[in-house]
Amino acid sequence: MVQDDARQVAGQVRTGFGLQLSTMELVTSGADQRARLWLAQTADGGRYAVKLSGGGTPAGLVVTAYLAEQGVPGIVAPLRADDGRLSIDHDGRRLSVVPWVSDQRALDGPMTDAHWRAYGEVLAAVHAVPVTDELSRLLPAGGAAYPSIVTATRAVAERLRDPGPDDPAGPLAAEMADVWSAVADPVATLTRDVERLAVDQRDRPGANVVCHGDPHLGNLLLGADGQVWLIDWDDAVLAPPECDLMFVLGGVLAFAPISARQQKAVLAGYGPADIDPARLAWFLAVRALDDLSDWTCQALDPDAAVAERDRAARIVRGLVSPVGLITLADAALRDLDRRR
């Protein structure tokens, strides 16, 4: 099936983008279950990221094309199809082609101080671009999905309250139930605080800028001399800068925490920032609940491959660990209460 899909995609790239691909290698390191990515190569050695996207919005391609036109560093502009479009349709998914700029993910390191500083510089440059009328129409508001995230979190909590021996998810259901039981109080608090602080967000909105929406180290590529590229813009949003900066200041990936020295280097590259602690904590809490409920649902999916379910379960365990996002979001909200 994967080979058939690759052949079909290669054919569409040839007819739609005018590129004759000689090889297509499936990339399996991404976390987006709704996307498929290939490292493709042409006979003359050109390398491209060929992607099928089923999630997010098509605005991500519009954003990167615009940012590249504005001269923002670290942005790779997508190729345009022969008819000028940034993507073409493939069975209801977006097919796009972007030059492949680096094999080195920031997650795999090593990141130098120059890389950390460049990471901040890219975020600052992105946040500084003017928001056009087109982007205002296309980009969703950051955090706007919080009601559905809260609903999903409560539904999963109820689902795991008493899974039973005949649960279709099998033994993982009991394991996930134990995990959720251990963090029931923090998750319930986060759920209530997300709803409570959302009122504050509406009454005291920050300045909306273009945000990547998911700028963790898995979406950062490294080059020589401290160069970085920020990739995968499927979740681009209009939001206050805290929506992106929480990935630096709040910590998001349990297996890749950012140290105080690294944070300092990023902020040195970013420049002066008036960061609102309440807004930062709210975005962190929304992300924590979204990740916890989404990855738990993937672990409980009886139709998914065993390896995918096991991976999702590992991520859930990381989210509730002492350095995980649930713990960090809970601590941020507690710190916020102490400040008041």
Side-chain angles (χ1 to χ4, degrees):
M1 177 64 180
V2 173
Q3 282 294 100
D4 290 343
D5 214 2
R7 281 193 289 268
Q8 292 175 11
V9 168
Q12 280 195 279
V13 170
R14 181 177 63 255
T15 58
F17 292 89
L19 279 180
Q20 179 71 48
L21 302 178
S22 55
T23 62
M24 287 185 68
E25 177 184 347
L26 186 65
V27 179
T28 58
S29 57
D32 188 352
Q33 301 297 313
R34 299 161 298 181
R36 185 168 290 169
L37 176 69
W38 290 270
L39 166 55
Q41 189 163 324
T42 58
D44 61 1
R47 300 201 303 167
Y48 300 89
V50 176
K51 185 174 183 178
L52 279 178
S53 301
T57 72
L61 294 168
V62 177
V63 169
T64 49
Y66 171 64
L67 293 176
E69 290 170 1
Q70 294 292 307
V72 174
I75 304 299
V76 189
L79 270 62
R80 290 189 179 273
D82 292 343
D83 60 5
R85 290 181 296 166
L86 296 170
S87 67
I88 57 179
D89 180 76
H90 176 84
D91 293 336
R93 290 179 290 176
R94 297 182 304 279
L95 174 58
S96 60
V97 181
V98 178
W100 188 279
V101 291
S102 174
D103 295 324
Q104 191 67 38
R105 295 192 311 159
L107 269 184
D108 303 324
M111 281 185 73
T112 64
D113 286 346
H115 285 126
W116 287 108
R117 184 182 181 94
Y119 179 23
E121 290 171 349
V122 169
L123 290 177
V126 169
H127 296 168
V129 297
V131 178
T132 63
D133 290 341
E134 181 183 25
L135 293 182
S136 294
R137 289 193 305 271
L138 290 177
L139 288 178
Y146 84 87
S148 62
I149 292 169
V150 166
T151 299
T153 302
R154 287 177 172 147
V156 175
E158 182 62 29
R159 156 91 165 75
L160 293 174
R161 200 174 304 281
D162 184 18
D166 298 324
D167 192 287
L172 267 182
E175 181 183 344
M176 291 296 97
D178 288 342
V179 169
W180 276 65
S181 176
V183 294
D185 288 343
V187 169
T189 300
L190 284 176
T191 305
R192 290 192 300 269
D193 283 348
V194 162
E195 291 181 311
R196 175 176 60 85
L197 289 174
V199 177
D200 182 56
Q201 300 303 307
R202 288 195 298 268
D203 294 343
R204 199 174 47 84
N208 280 341
V209 299
V210 174
C211 285
H212 180 280
D214 198 26
H216 57 70
L217 300 186
N219 287 329
L220 194 70
L221 301 179
L222 307 181
D225 301 322
Q227 188 173 11
V228 300
W229 293 273
L230 190 55
I231 62 169
D232 195 353
W233 287 76
D234 284 351
D235 295 315
V237 292
L238 283 181
E242 287 88 352
C243 181
D244 277 347
L245 292 176
M246 72 168 176
F247 288 81
V248 177
L249 300 173
V252 171
L253 301 180
F255 53 89
I258 297 178
S259 69
R261 173 179 171 173
Q262 292 163 348
Q263 288 178 356
K264 184 177 180 180
V266 176
L267 292 179
Y270 189 86
D274 184 16
I275 297 166
D276 183 281
R279 196 169 292 121
L280 188 74
W282 186 76
F283 277 114
L284 197 62
V286 171
R287 175 66 185 232
L289 294 180
D290 192 19
D291 278 4
L292 183 65
S293 59
D294 185 54
W295 285 111
T296 300
C297 286
Q298 292 186 44
L300 295 175
D301 182 2
D303 296 325
V306 172
E308 292 178 357
R309 295 181 64 200
D310 288 343
R311 175 172 178 260
R314 287 196 302 273
I315 292 173
V316 171
R317 290 191 289 269
L319 287 167
V320 303
S321 72
V323 294
L325 188 50
I326 294 296
T327 305
L328 294 172
D330 184 57
L333 290 170
R334 289 176 185 271
D335 184 58
L336 191 63
D337 287 339
R338 283 193 294 268
R339 294 185 186 199
R340 291 177 171 177

